[in-house]
Amino acid sequence: MLPFASSGSKVTPRHHVGGYSNGYPRGSTFDISPHRFQPRGTASAYRSRRTQSFVRLAIVAAVLFFLILLSWRGSSALSIFSLGLLAHDQDFQLETTRYYDLSNVQGTARGWEREERILLCVPLRDAEPHLPMFFSHLQNFTYPHHLIDVAFLVSDSKDRTLEVLVQNMEAIQASEDEKMPFGEISIIEKDFGQVVNQDVESRHGFAAQAGRRKLMARARNWLLSAALRPYHSWVYWRDVDVETAPFTILEDLMRHNKDVIVPNVWRPLPEWLGGEQPYDLNSWQESETALALADTLDEDAVIVEGYAEYATWRPHLAYLRDPFGDPDMEMELDGVGGVSILAKAKVFRYGVHFPAFSFEKHAETEGFGKMARRMDFSVVGLPHYTIWHTYEPSVDDIKHMEQMEREKLAAEEAEKEKAEKAMKLKESFGDATGQWEKDKSDLANIALEEKKETGAGAPAAGTEDKTDAKVAAGKAQGKTEDKTGDKVNAGKDGVEDGKT
Amino acid sequence: MARPMGPVRLKKTSPATLAVGAALCIFILYFLIGSSTPDFSASRKATAAVHHLSPPTSPFRKPTGSGKPKPPPVTRYNLNNVTITPDPLESRENILLLTPMARFYPEYWDNLLQLSYPHELITLGFILPKTKEGNTATTELQKRITKTQKYGPEKDRFKSIIILREDFEPPLSSQDESERHKMHNQKIRRAAMAKSRNSLLFSTLGPSTSWVFWLDADVVETPPSIIQDLARHDQPVVAPNCFQRYWNAEKKEMDERPYDFNNWQDSPNAQELAKQMGPDDILLEGYAEMATFRSLMAYMHKDDGLLHEEVPLDGVGGAALLVKADVHRDGAMFPAFPFYHLIETEGFAKMAKRLGWQPIGLPNYKVYHYNE
C-alpha cells in the first residue's frame, strides 16, 4: 500500500485544479461533499499541511517554469490559447534553405506560357525627367507583370530620381488592378564617384568615352550581380530614355529564342535634320579593318564606334534598317548596344558580363557582345524591328538651332522692313494714286465737260485699283504673321527639346 | 491499515498523482507552444525577407495560411552602406561561403560547423551536378543541413543556405583523381568548373554580401577563425596555402604535403610559352610537358615562417579563397574560356588584376585537402 494513499488528505482536486488554490482552508464555504471523514488526528493535520505546502511549492515551480519557458522561447502567450493555429505577424516561421534546379530556368521561345521570370534591369543617373515616360512603358508591357522582377540602380544622382522612383513603384505594387503589380522590385543605390558629366557633349565626346564606358560597365555589373536570382530565365536591359517601343517587345524578342538579342534603335529628329536618324551604333558585326586596328592598339585601349578617330568599317545594325522590311529578320552581331538587350539569364550566370576593362579592345555592352561570342552564345540583332530613343539635341544641334533661330529672326526683321518699305511705297504710291486719281478725275471732269455722259465708269475703276493695292498689303502683313507663328512653334519645339 | 472504500476513495488524491498530472500538463503545453519547426532569435527575424522573391542570402517568411499572396514590396538596398573592413566581426559583415560540390564529405560539414565567425552572418551556397553522384551528394548534404538548421543549437545554424543544381552535363563521368588530372581533360573539366562557379556566384551574390569565401568541398580542415584571419589582411583576394595530410610510409607517421599548385607568381618562361600559343590554348600548372618555371606558393611554405606573411600572386587556386564582394561585383569572374591563356581560378586572378585588384597569397597559412 502506498504511504500517501492512506494519509486521509483534506485536499480535494477542487481546491487546486488549474492552480487556483491559495492555500487557505475553505471551511466556511459551501461544501457539497457529504461523506467527510471526521474527526482528524493532530498528526494527520500536520501531515496534510506539509503535503499542502509541498503541492503549493510544486504549483509555484510549475508556473515559474512556464514563465521562463515563455520568455526564453520568445513566443507570445497567445499561441497557447489559439493552440498555435493562428499565425501572427510577430511570430512567423523562417525558411532558411532554398533549393533551385537551374535546368528549369533555361529560357524558351514561349516563356510567358512556361511562367519564366524576367529580370528587368534599369541603370539610372539623374533620370527624373525620363521617369514618367518609363513608367508608362513599364505598365504597358504585355508580358505577365507578376513574372517580371524589376531592378533599378540609382547612382550619383543629384535630382529626385530616387524619390520619384520609390513613389511610383509603390503605387504600382499597391495597384487595384490585379494584373498591374510586378514581382520583386529592388531599388539599389550605389555611387561610383562619377567624374564625367552627364550632359550630351561630355557624354559623347571621344576622349571621355573609354573611361565613361568602363564606369557604365561597372554600374551594370553591380546592378546585375545584386539582382540576378536563381529563378530568372531571362534578363532584359532597358534604358529609361526610350521614347517609343512596342508593348509586346519582350515577347517579340523572346520568340527568336536567341541567347542575346537586340532591336534596332533610332531616334526622331527635327525636320531640318532629316526627320530621323540611327541612334545606337554599338550594335555591329566585326570587320577585318577593325580587327587589324585592334592589333595595333595597346592593351587598355577601347575602340568606340561612331567616332571618326576609329574608322572600323563595320556593318552597323542601325544603318541596315528598312522601314518596310521584315521585322523578324535577324543579323549576327559581335558588339551590341545597351538601350534594349534581351538575354537568357544563363548567359550572365555562366559569367558573361560588361567588361569594365578592355576586353578584346572593347568595354561595356560592346565587350559584352564580344564575350558572349567568345563563349559561343548566339548574338543577333533585328535590323527592321525598331524602337525609338528620345532626341536630345547635342551642343552642335543646339548651336545650329540657335543659328537657325537667329536666321529666322533676321529673316523676320528683313520681312518686316520689307513690309514697312512696301507700306511706305504704297503710301507714297497711294498718294500718287490719289494724285493720279485727282488728275484722272480732273481729266474726267474735263472730258465730262467735253463729252457729256461718257466718263461715268472711270471713278469706279479707280476704286477697284485701290482695293487691289490694299489686298496686296494685307497679304504682306499675313506673311509676317505666319512667320511669327513659325517662330513661336519653333520656340516651343526648342523648349521641348531642351526638356528631353 | 484499512482504507475506506466507496465514494470516499474519489475524494482522496495523492500528491504523487498531482505531480504526475502537472508534469503532463507542462509536457502538453510545451508541445503546444513549441511547434515542429525551430524558432530563431529576434536578430535573425529582423533580417528576414518578407517574400520568397528576395535575395537568397537572407531567410524569408514562410507564407502562412490561405488568402491571396500580396505582391512583393518595393525594397531598397543601399550598397554604399555595405562595408568591407579588416574586422568583419566588428561591423557584422555578411559572408557568402560558396562551394561547388561533387561529393559530400562529412568532414567538410563538421569543419564548417566549427567556424568561429557568427553563423547567423554566414550564407552557404552549393552547386551540384545533376548526375547520380550529384544526387547522392545532394541527399547527404540536405540531411546534414536539416539536422543543423532544424534541430541544431541556434549558434550552429547558418543565416541561409542555397542549393543549386547545374544546368549542363558534366564533361567527365569519372571523378577519379587520375582521370581528373589528365592534361587533355583539364581544359574541358576546368571550363565546366568555371561555369559552375559563375552560376553559383552570380545567382547568390545579392545586395548585402561583403565577402565571398570560396571553399572547395574536399577541403576538410581549416583553422576555426579562418574568415577573420584572412579578412584581417584587407586585401581584395586572399589565398591560403592548401596542403594534404597523408601517411608517410618512410617515416611511419602522418605527414603533410603541398596540394594546390594553382597559386603562383608568373615567370618569363610561362609568358614566352603563352606567346607561342594559339588563342584557344591554355597554360596549365603541374605538368612535366609544360615547364612554366613559375614560383609556386605551395613551395614557399616555411615551417618557421610568419603565419601572416603575404606574397603577391598572378594565379590563384580555388581550394580556399577569400574575395571582397566588390571584386566580383566589378565583374571579376571565372573565365570558362582561355583568358590570356588562363582558365577558371587562374583566369579569375588575371581578370581581377585587369580590373585593378591584386591577389595575394599566405604561404604559411594552411588549409587541408581531403586525402582520396
Side-chain angles (χ1 to χ4, degrees), chain B residues 7-262:
Chain B
V8 177
R9 198 187 164 202
L10 286 175
K11 281 202 308 185
K12 297 207 167 180
T13 318
S14 86
T17 323
L18 285 173
V20 168
L24 254 170
C25 273
I26 290 168
F27 198 66
I28 290 166
L29 282 169
Y30 180 87
F31 277 95
L32 265 180
I33 302 165
S35 48
S36 56
T37 43
D39 218 331
F40 289 92
S41 71
S43 69
R44 281 178 191 256
K45 285 192 171 179
T47 58
V50 293
H51 201 277
H52 70 274
L53 294 176
S54 54
T57 46
S58 58
F60 63 93
R61 296 182 186 194
K62 266 190 203 165
T64 47
S66 54
K68 268 213 166 138
K70 273 194 213 161
V74 176
T75 321
R76 287 172 63 170
Y77 306 97
N78 195 335
L79 283 172
N80 295 314
N81 298 341
V82 177
T83 58
I84 306 178
T85 60
D87 188 1
L89 206 52
E90 171 79 24
S91 23
R92 293 186 64 80
E93 291 166 7
N94 288 303
I95 312 288
L96 178 60
L97 196 155
L98 297 180
T99 303
M101 186 176 274
R103 275 184 194 170
F104 179 79
Y105 298 106
E107 296 90 339
Y108 163 84
W109 190 262
D110 295 338
N111 182 56
L112 281 193
L113 288 182
Q114 55 93 47
L115 288 180
S116 64
Y117 198 83
H119 288 196
E120 62 176 83
L121 297 175
I122 303 179
T123 294
L124 307 180
F126 300 95
I127 189 162
L128 301 104
K130 284 189 83 178
T131 54
K132 208 177 151 194
E133 210 177 23
N135 291 344
T136 320
T138 310
T139 320
E140 282 171 55
L141 175 68
Q142 279 172 321
K143 251 187 231 158
R144 289 306 295 269
I145 289 174
T146 314
K147 208 171 152 194
T148 306
Q149 296 296 101
K150 279 203 169 157
Y151 308 112
E154 237 256 346
K155 69 166 188 49
D156 272 3
R157 295 184 212 147
F158 295 96
K159 187 181 181 191
S160 70
I161 298 178
I162 310 136
I163 304 170
L164 302 181
R165 300 304 297 273
E166 276 167 12
D167 53 353
F168 54 87
E169 288 295 310
L172 278 183
S173 52
S174 171
Q175 274 285 334
D176 289 333
E177 193 155 15
S178 54
E179 185 67 20
R180 240 168 69 183
H181 284 260
K182 269 183 196 160
M183 197 168 159
H184 66 274
N185 286 333
Q186 275 289 305
K187 190 175 151 190
I188 311 164
R189 195 186 79 81
R190 295 198 62 189
M193 190 68 184
K195 278 187 193 171
S196 293
R197 285 188 191 275
N198 291 331
S199 298
L200 181 56
L201 172 66
F202 289 111
S203 44
T204 59
L205 188 57
S208 56
T209 306
S210 296
W211 300 86
V212 178
F213 186 35
W214 290 94
L215 191 67
D216 272 357
D218 37 23
V219 172
V220 291
E221 190 188 332
T222 66
S225 59
I226 185 165
I227 292 172
Q228 296 95 310
D229 293 346
L230 298 186
R232 217 183 82 181
H233 290 264
D234 197 19
Q235 294 287 341
V237 181
V238 186
N241 218 347
C242 185
F243 273 59
Q244 186 180 44
R245 294 190 194 280
Y246 72 108
W247 176 252
N248 193 330
E250 284 170 30
K251 288 193 202 164
K252 298 265 190 287
E253 60 175 17
M254 282 308 284
D255 203 352
E256 52 188 52
R257 59 189 172 201
Y259 185 84
D260 190 349
F261 298 109
N262 291 333

Side-chain angles (χ1 to χ4, degrees), chain A residues 1 4-6 8 11-13 16 33 35-36 51 54-55 62 65-66 69-70 73 75 79-80 83 87 89-103 106 117 149 162 166 169-170 173 178 181-191 218 221-222 225-226 228-231 299-300 346 348-351 353 356-359 371 374-375, chain B residues 1 3 7-8 11-15 18 26 29-30 32-35 37-40 44-45 48 52-56 58-62 64 68 71-80 127 130 138 142 145 149 159-168 195 198-199 202-203 205-207 279-280 326 329-331 333 336-340 351 354-355:
Chain A
M1 189 181 276
F4 282 111
S6 61
V11 182
T12 62
H16 61 263
S33 55
H35 307 293
R36 175 137 314 163
T51 325
F54 172 76
V55 167
F65 174 75
F66 254 112
L69 194 78
L70 283 175
R73 297 195 58 96
S75 49
S79 66
I80 307 172
L83 305 179
D89 277 350
Q90 296 81 19
D91 191 36
F92 52 84
Q93 286 303 321
L94 288 191
E95 183 58 69
T96 56
T97 314
R98 307 184 191 219
Y99 178 94
Y100 302 99
D101 187 342
L102 296 181
S103 51
Q106 293 298 291
R117 300 197 70 83
D149 295 323
L162 198 65
V166 173
M169 289 318 293
E170 277 176 353
Q173 287 308 84
E178 267 180 29
F182 290 85
E184 183 186 1
I185 312 254
S186 325
I187 296 174
I188 297 159
E189 294 162 63
K190 169 69 190 175
D191 298 325
R218 277 185 73 200
N221 292 336
W222 276 66
S225 60
L228 188 65
R229 311 266 178 264
Y231 43 75
E299 198 186 18
D300 288 321
K346 72 171 178 194
F348 292 102
R349 277 202 302 265
Y350 284 179
H353 63 280
F357 55 92
S358 168
F359 178 79
M371 203 183 280
R374 191 80 176 83
M375 288 190 69
Chain B
M1 209 200 290
R3 207 167 66 67
V8 177
K11 281 202 308 185
K12 297 207 167 180
T13 318
S14 86
L18 285 173
I26 290 168
L29 282 169
Y30 180 87
L32 265 180
I33 302 165
S35 48
T37 43
D39 218 331
F40 289 92
R44 281 178 191 256
K45 285 192 171 179
H52 70 274
L53 294 176
S54 54
S58 58
F60 63 93
R61 296 182 186 194
K62 266 190 203 165
T64 47
K68 268 213 166 138
V74 176
T75 321
R76 287 172 63 170
Y77 306 97
N78 195 335
L79 283 172
N80 295 314
I127 189 162
K130 284 189 83 178
T138 310
Q142 279 172 321
I145 289 174
Q149 296 296 101
K159 187 181 181 191
S160 70
I161 298 178
I162 310 136
I163 304 170
L164 302 181
R165 300 304 297 273
E166 276 167 12
D167 53 353
F168 54 87
K195 278 187 193 171
N198 291 331
S199 298
F202 289 111
S203 44
L205 188 57
D280 285 333
D326 286 6
R329 290 204 176 100
D330 271 357
M333 50 83 164
F337 52 88
F339 181 72
Y340 290 83
M351 201 176 275
R354 294 287 287 126
L355 286 161

